[in-house]
């Protein structure tokens, strides 16, 4: 027997397109509100930022970004969970898991270095990506976001170093302190804050 196919066609008129982009926009703005980093932003700033986001869905097991790669994006995790893994002696070691409301990829965008770790999807993951220019523009407009990012970045770097260089807790703490102020100075100079 021949299977029956039904084809449903919805006309894409302008009104419908506007509706769609308005609801997409709203969804993006709501997602941003769940990212603690962006808590200081006003509604209009969130809306502007929402416009610059690109939806990036990944399926379980997919690699979102690879250690050593050149960086172009900051990632916001909206749903699902990712694992951050660093290669040491040819073996990948998990250093962290990140879930909804977290972000990653800030290191390369802030320092210009290649990706410090591989990030892979542990489940189906919904992300938004923000390109490097939009991220830098945001920091230039909102310098107060730079400090919490620098602090988190230093903490993450120290955790990475704990694995790759075998730092103990005290060495890790010292590394984080020196890194943190150093990074913040570099960022201030880089972004002319
Ligand atoms: P980037 O180096 O651009 O790409 C890999 C990302 O993994 C990195 O930015 C951080 O956002 C993230 N990352 C690296 N190390 C850690 C860590 N110890 N904890 C959480 N996230 C990390």
């Amino acid at each position: 027997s021949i299977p029956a196919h039904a084809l449903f066609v919805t006309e894409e008129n302008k009104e419908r397109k506007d509706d769609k982009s308005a609801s997409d926009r709203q969804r993006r703005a709501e997602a941003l509100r769940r990212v603690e980093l962006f808590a200081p932003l006003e509604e209009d700033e969130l809306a502007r930022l929402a416009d610059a986001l690109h939806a990036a869905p990944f399926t379980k097991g997919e690699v979102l970004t690879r250690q050593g790669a050149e960086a172009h994006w900051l990632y916001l995790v909206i749903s699902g969970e990712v694992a951050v893994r660093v290669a040491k002696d040819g073996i990948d070691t998990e250093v962290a898991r990140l879930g909804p409301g977290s972000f990653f990829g800030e290191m390369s965008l802030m320092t210009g270095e290649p990706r410090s770790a591989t990030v892979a999807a542990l489940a189906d993951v919904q992300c938004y990506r923000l390109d490097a220019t939009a991220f830098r523009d945001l920091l230039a407009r909102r310098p107060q976001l730079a400090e919490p990012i620098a602090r988190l970045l230093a903490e993450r770097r120290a955790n990475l170093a704990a694995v790759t260089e075998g730092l103990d807790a005290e060495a890790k703490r010292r590394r984080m302190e020196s890194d943190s102020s150093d990074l913040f100075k570099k960022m201030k100079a880089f972004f002319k804050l």
Side-chain angles (χ1 to χ4, degrees):
S1 69
I2 302 166
H5 287 281
L7 183 62
F8 297 99
V9 180
T10 310
E11 212 178 312
E12 264 304 325
N13 56 25
K14 182 169 181 312
E15 218 170 89
R16 192 180 139 80
K17 255 195 195 140
D18 286 351
D19 265 8
K20 228 167 90 184
S21 66
S23 69
D24 277 355
R25 231 181 142 194
Q26 203 176 343
R27 206 170 315 127
R28 289 196 295 256
E30 273 161 24
L32 285 177
R33 248 176 246 122
R34 272 177 256 131
V35 180
E36 204 191 314
L37 172 71
F38 298 133
L41 300 185
E42 308 285 347
E43 285 300 307
D44 60 323
E45 293 176 293
L46 279 177
R48 192 160 2 140
L49 192 58
D51 279 341
L53 294 181
H54 302 261
F58 295 91
T59 53
K60 185 177 172 177
E62 250 188 301
V63 168
L64 287 73
T65 193
R66 207 173 284 281
Q67 186 173 349
E70 194 190 330
H72 305 284
W73 307 94
L74 176 80
Y75 290 82
L76 309 176
V77 181
I78 302 307
S79 67
E81 198 178 23
V82 299
V84 181
R85 300 182 185 130
V86 67
K88 200 208 166 200
D89 305 329
I91 297 165
D92 274 3
T93 302
E94 183 174 298
V95 289
R97 289 185 173 203
L98 303 173
S102 40
F103 60 88
F104 65 89
E106 78 294 349
M107 286 192 183
S108 299
L109 295 191
M110 303 294 245
T111 62
E113 288 163 10
R115 294 296 193 198
S116 63
T118 293
V119 181
L122 290 168
D124 288 353
V125 170
Q126 187 61 48
C127 286
Y128 282 118
R129 300 199 282 201
L130 186 66
D131 70 58
T133 313
F135 179 57
R136 291 186 181 132
D137 286 352
L138 173 71
L139 287 182
R141 276 198 311 270
R142 275 297 202 162
Q144 63 269 59
L145 296 184
E147 200 174 344
I149 298 177
R151 215 177 308 121
L152 184 66
L153 202 161
E155 198 182 306
R156 288 175 167 182
R157 277 243 284 228
N159 281 335
L160 269 186
V163 172
T164 57
E165 299 170 36
L167 300 186
D168 64 17
E170 179 53 22
K172 200 166 115 178
R173 197 190 54 75
R174 277 201 309 271
R175 171 74 62 94
M176 204 182 113
E177 260 169 26
S178 66
D179 246 25
S180 184
S181 61
D182 188 46
L183 272 167
F184 192 50
K185 265 184 233 146
K186 273 194 205 149
M187 277 168 49
K188 274 174 106 161
F190 186 63
F191 292 107
K192 303 190 177 63
L193 303 177

